[in-house]
């Protein structure tokens, strides 16, 4: 008995019962298609989160003042004055794992140009901020160290500001906008970044030298936030530790005292978001796996019925020379053909469904090749596993009894 | 004359619960090549048990069975399956064709279990066998589109396709009307005339006249074993039957 003949026999047997074969397959088709679609959705959201975090700067570290208590009342972080110029200088000069560092102070209000105005925030930063937050310029230039030293009245604006103030299509570079009473000259425009994961418009901002904001807007000497970037994503943790020990030293905190600052990195955010989406992926895969299992049981059920129904045929095959293993192979191949064909259709359907989800619901999807191979392998194993018992039963039939079975 | 079947004191016991049933109590006979033997007996005579043994579907409890010189008694399941595949052609009462399958595919079936036969060879031999039973114009008819007589012819072609040393027919005319029965019997006689060895198991005593030898079983013993030198012609009987009105 060779394999080609066994396949021919199994194909003919399936061909005789097309409707039943298809209905049996349906369980597998739905199972595989859902596995692939679910994993594609899971992978897609994971990837889009990852891409957006990278856009914000995956090696970014944020330092906020914090944990300052006065008489038991916790104050809002921005009102605390623990982050000073000294801290910034220490971080810039005394760290090994920090590549760039920028202070940040912000003020919000209406920005005015001619007859137009728009509510926004102005951030006082230094030139490193561009690198840390992955901003680039589409026009003009960034302010310089000189501008910072001079508290120059210059700014760089985001696209949203340009769109709302320069409604007649003027070139914004060189124009002067007012922020409250203070005029700022636009020297550059940021390349648009769009919305981030949290739905914030990343182009709705004005950047100015931090000294300008500190002296001319807020009349303060501390910083609200310090942004840093680690030399690479992998060194984020070391950089955080370095910064923490520097700040503790600068702030003269004793060993038992709490930090009076908060350090947060994008990595924490990305870990959190990844774990959320990973859990979703696992849950989705479980649901899909269960449907594959149900599909497998469907195969076993039908194969079992089929063996009983075809007892006489099995008896005949045995009496004309089929060995037990030929019968076993025949029914096993039938089960595998059902599951593999179902798997194949399921893969196509799953890819199609992923595409539809992407096109209709605009969810990010990504069909991972391993999910295709995995579900296909699971299918084949399902076929063998659930086909084995009925096939074994068929091969153990006694030809004498089987041929007289009514 | 070469012996195809040699039975030496065959006994077959079945254990049913605590009792032992002696289905065959020492059967011995030899069937030579080219004989057309009818094995008769009432139900319970051991006829089916003997058929299963002759067909290598079962093995005797004691005694020796040589099929074409091969000793069957010690053979395992797989060896017997191979022996059946090469040496025996079965014809059953209820035809046992695969449903919704063409005549040619049904006839090819035994050769599918013989890996030494190529696909081309298989088709050639199937057509040849169908030709031999007069169905050369029905090659691609499906089994459910054929009459009982035609189905039995396909079954006979299936029994012939592996060129067996023995054709074993089990009540092969039992499901057919008189006229068709004699058509099938005529076919068996033609095959016999071409030198085939045929064992025809039946409970119908009338049929014994159309074979060359009759063996009668009763209670597990051979009670009669007679040669029939003047074999009646099934064709003549067929011609003497009244024609069906609708033909």
């Amino acid at each position: 008995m060779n394999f080609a003949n066994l396949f021919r026999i199994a194909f003919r047997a399936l061909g005789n019962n097309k409707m039943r074969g298809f209905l049996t397959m349906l369980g597998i088709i739905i199972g595989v298609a859902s596995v692939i679609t679910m994993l594609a959705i899971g992978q897609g959201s994971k990837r889009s989160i990852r891409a957006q975090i990278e856009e914000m700067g995956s090696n970014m570290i944020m330092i906020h003042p914090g944990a300052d208590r006065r008489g038991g009342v916790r104050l809002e972080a921005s009102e605390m004055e623990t982050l000073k110029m000294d801290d910034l200088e220490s971080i810039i000069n005394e760290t090994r794992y920090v590549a760039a560092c920028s202070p940040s102070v912000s003020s919000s209000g209406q920005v005015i140009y001619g007859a137009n105005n728009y509510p926004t925030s102005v951030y006082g930063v230094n030139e490193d901020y561009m690198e840390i937050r992955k901003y680039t310029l589409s026009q003009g230039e960034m302010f310089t160290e000189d501008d910072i030293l001079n508290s120059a009245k210059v700014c760089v604006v985001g696209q949203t500001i340009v769109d709302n103030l320069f409604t007649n299509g003027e070139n914004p570079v060189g124009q002067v906008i007012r922020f409250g009473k203070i005029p700022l000259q636009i020297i550059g425009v940021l390349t648009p970044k769009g919305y981030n994961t949290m739905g914030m418009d990343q182009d709705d901002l004005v950047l100015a030298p931090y000294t300008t904001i500190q002296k001319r807007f807020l009349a303060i000497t501390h910083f609200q936030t310090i942004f840093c970037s680690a030399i690479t994503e992998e060194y984020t943790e070391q950089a955080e530790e370095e910064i923490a020990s520097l700040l503790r030293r600068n702030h003269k905190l004793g060993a038992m005292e709490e930090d009076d600052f908060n350090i947060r990195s994008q990595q924490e955010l990305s870990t959190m978001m990844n774990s959320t989406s990973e859990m979703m992926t696992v849950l989705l895969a479980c649901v899909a796996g269960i449907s594959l299992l149900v599909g497998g049981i469907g195969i076993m059920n039908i194969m079992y019925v089929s063996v009983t129904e075809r007892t006489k045929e099995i008896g005949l095959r045995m009496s004309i020379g089929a060995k037990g293993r030929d019968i076993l192979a025949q029914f096993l191949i039938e089960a595998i053909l059902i599951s593999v064909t179902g798997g194949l259709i399921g893969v196509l359907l799953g890819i199609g469904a992923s595409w539809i989800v992407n096109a209709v619901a605009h969810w990010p999807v990504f069909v991972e090749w391993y999910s295709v191979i995995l579900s296909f392998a699971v299918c084949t194993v399902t076929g063998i596993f659930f086909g084995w018992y009925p096939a074994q039963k068929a091969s153990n039939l006694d030809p004498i009894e089987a041929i007289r079975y009514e | 004359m070469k012996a195809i079947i040699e039975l030496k004191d065959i006994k077959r016991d079945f254990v049913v619960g605590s009792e032992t049933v002696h289905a065959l109590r020492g059967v011995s006979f030899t069937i030579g090549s080219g004989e057309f033997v009818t094995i008769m007996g009432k139900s319970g005579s051991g006829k089916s048990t003997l058929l299963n043994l002759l067909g290598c579907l079962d093995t005797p409890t004691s005694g020796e069975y040589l099929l074409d010189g091969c000793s069957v008694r010690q053979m395992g399941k797989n060896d017997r399956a191979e022996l059946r595949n090469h040496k025996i052609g079965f014809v059953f009462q209820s035809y046992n064709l695969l449903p919704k399958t063409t005549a040619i595919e049904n006839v090819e079936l035994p050769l599918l279990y013989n890996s030494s036969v190529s696909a081309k060879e298989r088709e050639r031999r199937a057509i040849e066998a169908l030709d031999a039973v007069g169905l050369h114009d029905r090659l691609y008819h499906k089994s459910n589109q054929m009459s009982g007589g035609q189905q039995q012819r396909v079954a006979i072609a299936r029994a012939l396709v592996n060129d067996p040393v023995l054709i074993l027919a089990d009540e092969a005319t039992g499901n057919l009307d008189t006229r068709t029965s004699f058509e099938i019997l005529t076919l068996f006689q033609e095959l016999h005339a071409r030198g085939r060895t045929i064992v025809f198991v039946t409970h119908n005593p009338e049929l014994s006249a159309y074979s060359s030898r009759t063996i009668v079983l009763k209670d597990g013993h051979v009670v009669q074993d007679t040669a029939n030198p003047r074999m009646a012609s099934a064709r003549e009987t067929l011609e003497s039957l009244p024609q069906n009105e609708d033909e």
Side-chain angles (χ1 to χ4, degrees), chain B residues 36 46 67 95 97 174 182 189 221 238 240 242 245-246:
Chain B
F36 184 175
L67 173 67
Y95 332 128
L97 299 183
F182 279 105
Q189 286 194 332
H221 293 286
L238 181 63
S240 71
E245 276 167 16
D246 54 336

Side-chain angles (χ1 to χ4, degrees), chain B:
Chain B
M1 191 169 63
K2 191 184 161 206
I4 297 295
I5 294 174
E6 283 177 79
L7 293 181
K8 290 173 197 158
D9 196 27
I10 291 288
K11 288 182 182 154
R12 182 70 175 96
D13 302 334
F14 294 100
V15 179
V16 182
S18 56
E19 277 179 79
T20 304
V21 176
H22 304 283
L24 294 175
R25 302 163 185 258
V27 172
S28 304
F29 57 79
T30 301
I31 295 175
S33 176
E35 280 195 87
F36 184 175
V37 181
T38 315
I39 295 180
M40 288 202 305
K42 298 203 172 67
S43 90
S45 60
K47 167 174 60 110
S48 296
T49 310
L50 183 61
L51 176 84
N52 292 339
L53 286 172
L54 290 178
C56 304
L57 293 166
D58 198 2
T59 48
T61 313
S62 71
E64 190 60 71
Y65 170 31
L66 300 178
L67 173 67
D68 196 26
C70 304
S71 170
V72 179
R73 198 164 115 71
Q74 303 293 336
M75 275 188 173
K77 265 184 168 178
N78 287 344
D79 291 333
R80 278 187 282 125
E82 210 170 307
L83 193 70
R84 289 198 292 274
N85 188 245
H86 290 129
K87 297 204 185 285
I88 300 175
F90 281 98
V91 182
F92 300 97
Q93 179 173 6
S94 51
Y95 332 128
N96 282 335
L97 299 183
L98 296 187
K100 297 187 218 164
T101 309
T102 60
I104 192 159
E105 281 174 321
N106 265 297
V107 174
E108 279 182 353
L109 203 60
L111 300 179
L112 280 175
Y113 292 101
N114 181 349
S115 52
S116 62
V117 179
S118 70
K120 228 176 157 179
E121 168 86 357
R122 195 160 61 221
E123 196 185 351
R124 187 185 65 73
R125 281 167 69 171
I127 292 172
E128 216 174 78
L130 281 163
D131 214 22
V133 298
L135 283 180
H136 47 85
D137 54 346
R138 295 271 194 285
L139 299 182
Y140 298 100
H141 282 53
K142 296 204 167 156
S143 45
N144 44 332
Q145 298 166 339
M146 288 188 282
S147 69
Q150 284 170 337
Q151 289 191 49
Q152 194 60 300
R153 281 170 191 271
V154 174
I156 293 169
R158 184 179 62 195
L160 289 172
V161 78
N162 57 347
D163 194 23
V165 295
L166 171 69
I167 293 173
L168 206 51
D170 179 12
E171 300 280 13
T173 58
N175 276 13
L176 301 169
D177 60 71
T178 316
R179 202 178 160 74
T180 320
S181 294
F182 279 105
E183 280 172 16
I184 295 298
L185 219 48
T186 309
L187 180 57
F188 273 114
Q189 286 194 332
E190 279 169 20
L191 294 172
H192 172 237
R194 275 181 251 158
R196 294 278 176 194
T197 312
I198 301 166
V199 171
F200 198 102
V201 178
T202 180
H203 67 277
N204 184 353
E206 285 173 32
L207 297 180
S208 64
Y210 300 92
S211 62
S212 67
R213 179 177 167 191
T214 307
I215 294 172
V216 181
L217 281 181
K218 194 180 175 189
D219 297 332
H221 293 286
V222 176
V223 293
Q224 185 196 330
D225 185 352
T226 48
N228 183 11
R230 280 182 301 158
M231 206 165 87
S233 164
R235 183 178 296 282
E236 283 167 16
T237 316
L238 181 63
E239 279 160 2
S240 71
L241 285 173
Q243 292 286 318
N244 281 355
E245 276 167 16
D246 54 336
E247 264 178 27

Side-chain angles (χ1 to χ4, degrees), chain A residues 61 69 84 106 142 181 215-216 282 306-307 321 398:
Chain A
I61 297 164
R69 258 176 240 208
K84 307 281 193 185
S106 71
M142 184 61 184
K181 286 177 184 149
K215 289 176 191 165
R216 298 184 197 273
V282 168
S306 173
V307 166
D398 177 9

Side-chain angles (χ1 to χ4, degrees), chain A residues 2-62:
Chain A
N2 61 35
F3 243 179
N5 286 351
L6 279 174
F7 265 102
R8 194 167 289 121
I9 290 168
F11 258 120
R12 279 180 196 166
L14 284 180
N16 281 343
N17 250 319
K18 289 191 189 74
M19 191 62 189
R20 175 191 286 186
F22 174 73
L23 287 176
T24 313
M25 247 175 236
L26 211 54
I28 293 292
I29 292 175
I30 292 170
V32 169
S34 52
V35 167
I36 287 183
T37 315
M38 296 301 162
L39 286 177
I41 291 171
Q43 274 299 323
S45 69
K46 206 163 144 185
R47 274 173 185 245
S48 89
I49 288 168
R50 177 106 205 110
Q52 293 194 0
I53 285 170
E54 251 154 37
E55 207 172 84
M56 286 195 288
S58 56
N59 53 352
M60 187 174 80
I61 297 164
M62 286 176 287

Side-chain angles (χ1 to χ4, degrees), chain A residues 163-182:
Chain A
D163 292 344
N164 284 288
L165 293 186
F166 300 94
T167 45
N168 298 327
E170 307 98 310
N171 182 3
V173 176
Q175 307 290 345
V176 177
I177 54 172
R178 266 190 315 116
F179 206 88
K181 286 177 184 149
I182 300 148

Side-chain angles (χ1 to χ4, degrees), chain A residues 93-251:
Chain A
N93 298 324
E94 297 175 42
T95 51
R96 285 197 308 158
Y97 297 112
V98 177
C101 188
S102 167
S104 169
V105 283
S106 71
S107 171
S108 45
Q110 298 299 115
V111 58
I112 302 155
Y113 174 75
N116 298 326
N117 69 87
Y118 188 72
T120 188
S121 298
V122 59
Y123 293 91
V125 296
N126 70 14
E127 66 274 24
D128 278 353
Y129 190 77
M130 298 288 277
E131 185 197 323
I132 297 165
R133 298 301 300 267
K134 307 277 189 271
Y135 278 109
T136 53
L137 288 167
S138 63
Q139 286 183 62
E141 56 195 16
M142 184 61 184
F143 44 78
T144 61
E145 233 171 300
D146 280 347
D147 293 326
I148 292 169
L149 282 174
N150 300 332
S151 314
K153 289 185 263 185
V154 292
C155 70
V156 170
V157 295
Q159 191 61 41
T160 306
I161 308 297
V162 173
D163 292 344
N164 284 288
L165 293 186
F166 300 94
T167 45
N168 298 327
E170 307 98 310
N171 182 3
V173 176
Q175 307 290 345
V176 177
I177 54 172
R178 266 190 315 116
F179 206 88
K181 286 177 184 149
I182 300 148
L184 295 170
Q185 188 181 27
I186 298 175
I187 56 166
V189 178
L190 297 170
T191 313
K193 278 176 81 165
Y195 288 83
N196 71 5
T197 335
M198 274 76 79
M200 273 160 52
D201 183 0
Q202 299 179 92
D203 302 318
D204 180 10
L205 82 173
V206 175
L207 300 179
Y210 66 93
T211 47
T212 310
I213 305 298
Q214 276 183 320
K215 289 176 191 165
R216 298 184 197 273
F217 283 70
L218 302 168
I220 54 170
T221 54
H222 65 272
F223 302 125
Q224 289 156 349
T225 313
I226 295 177
F227 289 95
C228 299
S229 64
I231 43 178
T232 60
E233 201 188 324
E234 292 78 55
Y235 288 112
T236 313
E237 226 168 295
Q238 282 96 321
E240 279 182 70
E241 280 164 21
E242 230 174 21
I243 293 165
S245 64
L246 272 178
L247 293 181
R248 285 186 73 85
R249 188 200 66 195
N250 283 4
H251 298 175

